[in-house]
Amino acid sequence: MEIEKSYYDVYDVIKLLGVSKSKAYAVMREMNDYLEEQGYLVISGKIPARYFNEKWYGGTHA
């Protein structure tokens, strides 16, 4: 049984977007900066999977 992740790390973003490690970190930083501006608490180096999927895939899982 596979457990769905709550947060993606840099390696998940690399795999999902097919980008370099530095680009994945840049994407995550931009997304976390936006969430922080909206008043959410963020974890450096991770991005909420639900938010990521909503912004990149319209709410569906890749």
Side-chain angles (χ1 to χ4, degrees):
M1 183 163 116
E2 188 176 323
I3 298 174
E4 190 172 328
K5 291 184 171 189
S6 295
Y7 286 86
Y8 290 151
D9 62 19
V10 70
Y11 299 105
D12 295 318
V13 176
I14 289 168
K15 187 168 34 171
L16 290 167
L17 298 181
V19 296
S20 68
K21 191 174 185 179
S22 61
K23 180 63 177 176
Y25 274 123
V27 167
M28 293 169 63
R29 191 175 314 110
E30 184 177 337
M31 294 179 86
N32 274 334
D33 287 349
Y34 176 77
L35 287 173
E36 200 166 33
E37 288 172 7
Q38 300 304 307
Y40 293 97
L41 298 175
V42 299
I43 300 171
S44 183
K46 296 195 180 281
I47 191 76
R50 186 171 166 188
Y51 174 67
F52 180 90
N53 290 329
E54 179 183 306
K55 292 299 178 187
W56 283 92
Y57 303 111
T60 63
H61 183 52

